[in-house]
């Protein structure tokens, strides 16, 4: 027999083996005594800690159905009541929030205004993104919570949608890193940092009966392995499929692939302390063909953009004067700045040094794929891109890059302010490019005090235009999340904000 036959036979055996080992559907339930467990896998499905007050970790508490916030974002990115009934802006600095009266934590303790205050104060102490809560004054009267901020804060309700504002029973939590006590339909059963998380149903959930007994999230770093795990029955839900594996999964009638446009962008940081020549930064912006990357290279898994915000939102201004793809313009800018190819190798030089830019990349969604394609595109205009690969994004904070992609939600609260503040203000916790502009700083100072919607839009667009003019950073496009789900599973959510996955209505046949 030919070697090709044996290769095919071995491949079929390897694919079939996991099915025999793990099983799926009713056989999985039979093996566990009728217990219904939904298995979820993804490239970043598990994080290093479950403490929602730390950095961006609140996302996982919300995704897992462990934690809930006072308000949540709907699919139009507008805040809706969740643990709260309503919010009233009494004065520019005073908000009155009425809490739902029937909410209990998973340990049976009633959620009160005092409990909410303790949770928010803890977040303010631990998370720089919650700086607006620092120095706030609180008052509790029955199920009404009053918050008086130091300065007017127009988007307080939006900010309370951020998963860092998950409401915990602070006094009742013994281990914040592994088992925070929230109000959700599930409770933490076990947690292995960056590997595996197991949640069991909260039998006394305030929101009603929980349909499945447990949910398990497993980190599977490789796209192909992730798709194979779904097809073999090892997992029931595969988060963030690649374009190729999404096509394969969609062709199988046992699965459904949900494609969700997200507010998650591929943000292009330029380290202004290292990439100091504006001509080079401008040329990079003109030299990247975003539409080809999204439509052809990623097969529709990304929607190209020049803005930080989706065109479907009020802040995705089509009138922005962007540096859209124009390789000839890029070449002209570099030539005018004194860059020439003197040795005929295709790479420009200046003062005897080749034009080489180090580009950092870490494993998140399609960062690596986009970086590789950008490298090829920028070579055509004479820029040599050296790729420095990292496992995580921790190289960004110390500035170990000249150019880098960053995958980030730009409207984490349904409003642009939090994102713009974090990545563009002088003290922004995500200002990895060291961007600074007095006009932008003033606009950022005005935004939280601006309650008028039209004025907020105008300020936001002015900030975006200034950053474009300064060649301070760029945006390649928005991720279109592709989730593969077994048809035996119902009620799993895929949303534009990427926060919400698991609810009491998650079920499995």
């Amino acid at each position: 027999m030919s070697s090709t036959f044996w290769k095919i036979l071995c491949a079929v055996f390897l694919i079939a083996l996991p099915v025999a080992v793990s099983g799926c559907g009713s056989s999985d339930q039979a093996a566990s005594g009728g217990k219904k467990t939904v298995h979820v896998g993804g490239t970043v499905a598990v994080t290093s800690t479950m403490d929602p007050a730390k950095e961006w970790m609140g996302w996982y508490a919300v995704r897992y159905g462990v934690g809930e916030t006072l308000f949540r974002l709907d699919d139009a990115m507008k805040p809706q009541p969740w643990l709260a009934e309503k919010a009233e802006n009494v004065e520019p600095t005073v908000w009155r929030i009425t809490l739902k009266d029937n909410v209990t934590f998973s340990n049976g303790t009633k959620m009160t205004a005092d409990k909410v205050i303790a949770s928010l104060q803890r977040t303010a102490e631990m998370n720089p993104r919650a700086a607006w809560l620092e120095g706030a004054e609180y008052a509790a009267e029955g199920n009404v919570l009053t918050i008086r901020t130091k300065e007017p804060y127009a988007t307080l309700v939006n900010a309370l949608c951020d998963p860092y504002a998950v409401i915990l029973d602070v006094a009742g939590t013994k281990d914040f890193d592994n088992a925070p006590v929230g109000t959700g339909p599930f409770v933490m059963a076990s947690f292995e940092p960056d590997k595996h998380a197991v949640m069991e149903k909260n039998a006394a959930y305030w929101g009603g009966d929980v349909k499945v007994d447990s949910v398990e999230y497993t980190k599977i770093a490789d796209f192909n392995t992730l798709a194979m795990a779904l097809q073999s029955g090892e997992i029931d839900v595969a988060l963030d499929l690649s374009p190729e594996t999404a096509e394969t999964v969609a062709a199988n009638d046992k699965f459904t692939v949900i494609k969700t446009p997200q507010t998650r962008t591929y943000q292009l940081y330029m380290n202004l302390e290292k990439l100091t020549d504006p001509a080079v930064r401008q040329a990079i912006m003109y030299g990247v063909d975003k539409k080809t990357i999204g439509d052809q290279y990623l097969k529709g898994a990304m929607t190209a953009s020049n803005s930080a915000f989706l065109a479907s939102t009020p802040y995705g201004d089509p009138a922005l004067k962007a540096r859209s793809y124009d390789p000839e313009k890029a070449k002209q800018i570099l030539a005018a700045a004194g860059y020439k190819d003197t040795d005929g190798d295709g790479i420009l030089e200046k003062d005897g040094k080749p034009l080489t830019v180090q580009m950092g990349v870490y494993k998140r969604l399609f960062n690596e794929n986009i970086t590789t394609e950008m490298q090829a595109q920028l070579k055509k205009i004479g820029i040599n891109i050296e790729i420095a690969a990292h496992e995580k994004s921790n190289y960004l904070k110390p500035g170990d890059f000249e150019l880098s992609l960053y995958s980030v939600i730009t409207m984490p609260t349904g409003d642009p302010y939090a994102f713009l503040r974090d990545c563009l203000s002088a003290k922004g916790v995500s200002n990895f490019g060291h961007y600074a502009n007095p006009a932008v700083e003033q606009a950022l100072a005005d935004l939280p005090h601006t309650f008028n919607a039209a004025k907020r839009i105008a300020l936001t667009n002015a900030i975006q235009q200034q950053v474009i003019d300064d060649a301070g950073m760029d945006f390649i496009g928005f991720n279109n999340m592709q989730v593969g789900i077994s048809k035996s599973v119902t009620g799993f959510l895929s949303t534009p904000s990427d926060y919400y996955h698991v609810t009491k209505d998650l079920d499995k046949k």
Side-chain angles (χ1 to χ4, degrees):
M1 297 184 184
S2 69
S3 60
T4 302
F5 171 82
W6 285 111
K7 290 179 180 178
I8 295 173
L9 184 61
C10 289
V12 171
F13 175 76
L14 288 172
I15 293 173
L17 182 60
V19 178
V21 173
S22 65
C24 62
S26 59
S27 61
D28 178 46
Q29 293 175 34
S32 58
K35 181 180 179 180
K36 290 197 289 187
T37 300
V38 174
H39 302 270
V40 183
T43 57
V44 288
V46 186
T47 185
S48 58
T49 173
M50 285 303 301
D51 189 341
K54 293 182 178 178
E55 299 177 344
W56 306 87
M57 305 308 175
W59 293 33
Y60 295 85
V62 175
R63 287 172 178 172
Y64 295 173
V66 170
E68 298 169 324
T69 49
L70 295 178
F71 299 88
R72 63 172 290 163
L73 298 172
D74 62 19
D75 285 353
M77 299 299 290
K78 295 181 179 178
Q80 303 295 338
W82 200 359
L83 297 179
E85 288 281 2
K86 62 180 180 178
E88 302 167 89
N89 183 218
V90 182
E91 300 174 16
T93 60
V94 178
W95 291 80
R96 183 180 293 125
I97 300 170
T98 303
L99 306 175
K100 288 183 177 176
D101 197 42
N102 64 328
V103 178
T104 56
F105 293 100
S106 59
N107 60 6
T109 303
K110 181 179 174 61
M111 184 191 77
T112 63
D114 285 323
K115 290 281 188 181
V116 171
I117 290 171
S119 186
L120 293 178
Q121 286 179 325
R122 180 176 183 272
T123 296
E125 293 170 359
M126 296 180 61
N127 198 311
R129 294 188 298 112
W132 63 275
L133 278 171
E134 290 183 1
E137 297 177 2
Y138 301 87
E141 184 178 351
N143 68 332
V144 176
L145 163 69
T146 300
I147 303 177
R148 182 184 293 273
T149 57
K150 289 190 299 183
E151 297 179 354
Y153 196 68
T155 56
L156 180 142
V157 172
N158 295 78
L160 291 175
C161 294
D162 193 302
Y164 66 53
V166 160
I167 302 303
L168 300 181
D169 183 0
V170 175
T173 298
K174 297 179 181 179
D175 186 349
F176 289 96
D177 285 319
N178 295 288
V181 177
T183 61
F186 291 87
V187 299
M188 295 302 303
S190 66
F191 180 68
E192 280 186 86
D194 297 312
K195 292 182 180 180
H196 194 63
V198 180
M199 285 64 63
E200 294 180 348
K201 70 187 294 182
N202 176 4
Y205 179 50
W206 68 271
D209 292 337
V210 182
K211 294 181 178 179
V212 298
D213 298 292
S214 62
V215 182
E216 297 186 13
Y217 274 66
T218 303
K219 183 175 180 177
I220 303 173
D222 179 75
F223 288 123
N224 292 326
T225 306
L226 177 66
M228 287 180 64
L230 177 66
Q231 293 174 301
S232 71
E234 290 181 76
I235 60 175
D236 304 297
V237 180
L239 305 173
D240 45 70
L241 291 168
S242 70
E244 295 77 16
T245 57
E247 286 182 339
T248 301
V249 170
N252 190 323
D253 60 9
K254 294 181 179 179
F255 307 100
T256 300
V257 174
I258 299 175
K259 186 174 182 178
T260 307
Q262 293 186 302
T263 64
R264 179 180 293 280
T265 187
Y266 293 100
Q267 177 184 1
L268 185 62
Y269 272 111
M270 301 183 187
N271 189 340
L272 303 188
E273 290 187 349
K274 293 185 176 181
L275 200 61
T276 56
D277 191 340
V280 175
R281 301 198 303 269
Q282 292 170 22
I284 289 171
M285 295 172 77
Y286 280 120
V288 177
D289 186 351
K290 303 172 185 179
K291 186 168 176 45
T292 292
I293 291 175
D295 294 350
Q296 298 179 27
Y297 191 65
L298 294 181
K299 300 181 180 180
M302 184 195 85
T303 299
S305 178
N306 294 314
S307 168
F309 309 106
L310 283 171
S312 59
T313 71
Y315 305 100
D317 186 4
L320 289 174
K321 297 177 181 178
R323 291 191 170 91
S324 301
Y325 180 57
D326 188 341
E328 292 307 313
K329 178 73 171 178
K331 292 177 182 178
Q332 292 170 10
I333 290 173
L334 290 172
Y339 293 92
K340 299 178 181 179
D341 180 11
T342 59
D343 56 12
D345 66 350
I347 302 301
L348 301 175
E349 305 103 34
K350 185 176 181 180
D351 300 328
K353 296 180 180 179
L355 180 49
T356 296
V357 175
Q358 186 188 76
M359 185 169 186
V361 64
Y362 66 103
K363 293 182 178 180
R364 181 69 171 98
L365 295 172
F366 310 123
N367 281 354
E368 294 167 293
N369 308 61
I370 296 171
T371 298
T372 301
E373 180 62 13
M374 286 179 59
Q375 180 186 48
Q377 292 182 356
L378 293 175
K379 186 175 182 179
K380 294 178 181 178
I381 63 170
I383 300 177
N384 176 42
I385 298 292
E386 290 184 347
I387 297 175
H390 303 266
E391 192 67 26
K392 297 182 178 181
S393 62
N394 51 12
Y395 64 92
L396 286 163
K397 189 172 182 179
D400 296 334
F401 70 98
E402 291 181 293
L403 197 66
S404 182
L405 277 183
Y406 189 59
S407 175
V408 63
I409 293 284
T410 60
M411 294 182 68
T413 63
D415 181 86
Y417 171 65
F419 168 77
L420 294 172
R421 173 201 65 201
D422 290 349
C423 71
L424 294 176
S425 67
K427 297 181 180 179
V429 295
S430 301
N431 189 355
F432 305 130
H434 305 285
Y435 178 80
N437 183 292
V440 168
E441 204 71 39
Q442 183 58 56
L444 288 172
D446 294 339
L447 256 179
H449 308 156
T450 303
F451 287 75
N452 180 276
K455 291 181 179 179
R456 292 186 66 79
I457 292 171
L459 278 171
T460 298
N461 291 337
I463 290 170
Q464 292 192 85
Q465 188 61 63
Q466 188 63 62
V467 174
I468 291 171
D469 293 345
D470 294 338
M473 67 173 56
D474 200 3
F475 301 90
I476 306 303
F478 290 94
N479 181 59
N480 295 320
M481 176 69 79
Q482 299 188 92
V483 178
I485 305 176
S486 167
K487 290 186 177 178
S488 67
V489 170
T490 58
F492 187 88
L493 302 183
S494 177
T495 63
S497 66
D498 199 21
Y499 299 156
Y500 314 109
H501 291 176
V502 171
T503 71
K504 70 179 180 65
D505 296 320
L506 178 67
D507 203 359
K508 182 177 180 180
K509 296 177 184 177

